[in-house]
Amino acid sequence: MDKIKSFEHFEKDVIYNLLDSDEIEWLTFLLDKEYCFFADKNFIDCFPDINLNWKSSSKITNAIIDFDNSKAKFDFKILESLNCKHILIRFTKKFPTDLILSLLNESLNNITFKSVDIQIEKKEPSKFYLSLKKLIIKQISQVTKFDLINSFSINKNLKFKPKFVLGIDTFAESQKHNLFFNKKAYFTSNNYIKNGIEPNKKFLHKNKLEDIIKIINLKRFKNLWNVNKDKIDVCKDCEFRYMCVDNRLPLKRKNVEEYYFENPCSYNPYISLWDNHENYLSLKDINIISNNSSFVINNEFISSINEKLWD
């Protein structure tokens, strides 16, 4: 792709003469799918480069707030002051269900967010919860989603299932930032703030705006914000890396700006197959090693595997 892009101002015949057979095949594919096209050189100025500089006026764009006891408190005006757009409020099974509606009414009164999702930790739905859902949606217009969740605990052994978000804003942010951890915050019910549910680092706060701003400006709090997919093993070779919202925790190798994941993804970018395909092969199957010490890949071996799979 980089080679083809370098021919941007070349004549059509010249381009084809400079490409080998494989590159011509790729160019033909792109032209057939209308992912690119030839244009008269007089119209080149009609196609300016896309500005991929990403900026946000929000100190925090997304936040998760947990409540697990009747004494738990949180000032939602703090998030509004941080220009937070989206919040997820979670009530654990320990929280008294009869207090949920009153807490939401008191907390969200005269506060505006783009979206408010509610999750309640409950194994099975009941008439009470169905009624509660209707009341919440009726009385609190900001609520955009209401779900009952079996358990809030995280199974770190599960294979990752990617979530894709399409859009120029997402694409621009992903160039230099981690789509999942960038400008995100998780507030526990015992007054701790973390960059997300997954990271271990936590910071005690006093439920005051100045205190929380001080914490989120710490380098230790933001250390994952700029770990984009181009810095992570396997992901850096994946065609979906600029649209993939990945909640796995990137782990850093010592003394180098390289990262890896402990649990695998359900997609293998080296053979372009998902794990539900009959010909799927894992990273281990194609001799790729990614761990705390190194990243090892044999391109010739992978090429031979792809010839068998796709020819």
Side-chain angles (χ1 to χ4, degrees):
M1 279 300 299
D2 290 337
K3 185 174 182 179
I4 292 175
K5 287 170 66 177
S6 70
F7 297 148
E8 188 175 12
H9 298 283
F10 286 33
E11 295 289 342
K12 182 177 179 179
D13 293 340
V14 175
I15 293 174
Y16 275 105
N17 288 332
L18 293 172
L19 297 176
D20 60 32
S21 58
D22 289 337
E23 290 167 338
I24 290 176
E25 183 179 350
W26 272 108
L27 179 57
T28 302
F29 171 81
L30 294 173
L31 291 167
D32 288 344
K33 296 295 184 180
E34 297 185 350
Y35 295 141
C36 67
F37 56 90
F38 288 107
D40 190 288
K41 62 182 178 181
N42 295 320
F43 295 108
I44 291 296
D45 292 338
C46 295
F47 303 96
D49 292 338
I50 298 174
N51 184 358
L52 294 179
N53 292 325
W54 184 85
K55 294 181 180 179
S56 173
S57 59
S58 301
K59 288 283 187 180
I60 292 293
T61 59
N62 299 62
I64 299 174
I65 306 94
D66 274 1
F67 291 94
D68 71 356
N69 62 78
S70 59
K71 295 182 180 180
K73 296 183 181 298
F74 184 79
D75 185 358
F76 284 86
K77 290 182 180 179
I78 291 174
L79 293 178
E80 190 178 43
S81 299
L82 295 172
N83 200 18
C84 182
K85 304 296 185 183
H86 310 276
I87 65 171
L88 166 61
I89 304 173
R90 308 195 313 171
F91 296 96
T92 71
K93 55 190 175 184
K94 297 179 182 178
F95 190 88
T97 53
D98 57 323
L99 299 179
I100 292 177
L101 184 59
S102 59
L103 184 146
L104 291 175
N105 270 316
E106 293 172 7
S107 301
L108 300 177
N109 187 33
N110 297 321
I111 300 178
T112 302
F113 296 104
K114 195 170 183 179
S115 71
V116 177
D117 291 356
I118 308 294
Q119 290 183 353
I120 299 177
E121 192 175 28
K122 176 72 176 176
K123 289 187 177 182
E124 296 179 2
S126 64
K127 290 183 178 180
F128 171 80
Y129 283 97
L130 293 175
S131 300
L132 178 62
K133 177 180 179 179
K134 291 180 180 179
L135 284 172
I136 289 175
I137 293 175
K138 182 179 180 180
Q139 295 186 24
I140 308 171
S141 59
Q142 292 190 70
V143 173
T144 50
K145 193 175 181 182
F146 180 102
D147 290 308
L148 296 180
I149 306 297
N150 285 339
S151 174
F152 289 149
S153 61
I154 299 174
N155 187 344
K156 296 183 179 180
N157 296 320
L158 287 178
K159 187 177 289 187
F160 170 65
K161 301 289 184 182
K163 176 185 177 183
F164 296 151
V165 178
L166 305 179
I168 189 62
D169 190 61
T170 300
F171 184 78
E173 183 182 1
S174 66
Q175 301 300 303
K176 294 184 179 180
H177 303 287
N178 186 294
L179 288 176
F180 186 81
F181 291 105
N182 185 40
K183 290 184 177 289
K184 308 300 192 297
Y186 167 53
F187 296 88
T188 70
S189 59
N190 54 351
N191 285 0
Y192 281 98
I193 177 175
K194 300 166 64 177
N195 186 199
I197 296 173
E198 295 76 12
N200 293 321
K201 291 180 182 177
K202 59 182 181 179
F203 305 82
L204 187 65
H205 68 87
K206 301 175 183 177
N207 206 15
K208 293 182 179 180
L209 177 62
E210 297 78 10
D211 191 41
I212 291 175
I213 289 178
K214 183 178 179 181
I215 291 172
I216 63 178
N217 283 333
L218 292 173
K219 186 177 180 180
R220 288 177 296 154
F221 183 85
K222 301 190 295 184
N223 67 329
L224 294 176
W225 288 18
N226 296 331
V227 182
N228 69 334
K229 291 282 190 173
D230 290 324
K231 297 178 181 177
I232 304 174
D233 293 354
V234 183
C235 294
K236 63 185 179 183
D237 296 320
C238 181
E239 65 269 38
F240 301 120
R241 64 189 179 278
Y242 299 132
M243 66 175 78
C244 181
V245 182
D246 192 338
N247 68 334
R248 291 177 294 174
L249 190 65
L251 301 175
K252 189 178 183 297
R253 291 197 184 93
K254 291 183 179 180
N255 304 320
V256 290
E257 194 64 19
E258 296 176 356
Y259 296 80
Y260 66 98
F261 289 128
E262 287 188 330
N263 54 320
C265 177
S266 56
Y267 179 72
N268 186 338
Y270 299 105
I271 57 173
S272 302
L273 289 176
W274 296 89
D275 62 355
N276 59 357
H277 193 282
E278 61 180 353
N279 293 326
Y280 173 80
L281 297 170
S282 68
L283 296 179
K284 184 178 180 180
D285 292 332
I286 58 176
N287 296 339
I288 289 179
I289 299 173
S290 175
N291 53 37
N292 61 350
S293 59
S294 64
F295 177 54
V296 179
I297 180 171
N298 186 328
N299 289 315
E300 290 185 4
F301 178 71
I302 292 175
S303 294
S304 66
I305 293 293
N306 278 303
E307 285 180 6
K308 295 176 182 178
L309 287 173
W310 299 106
D311 283 355

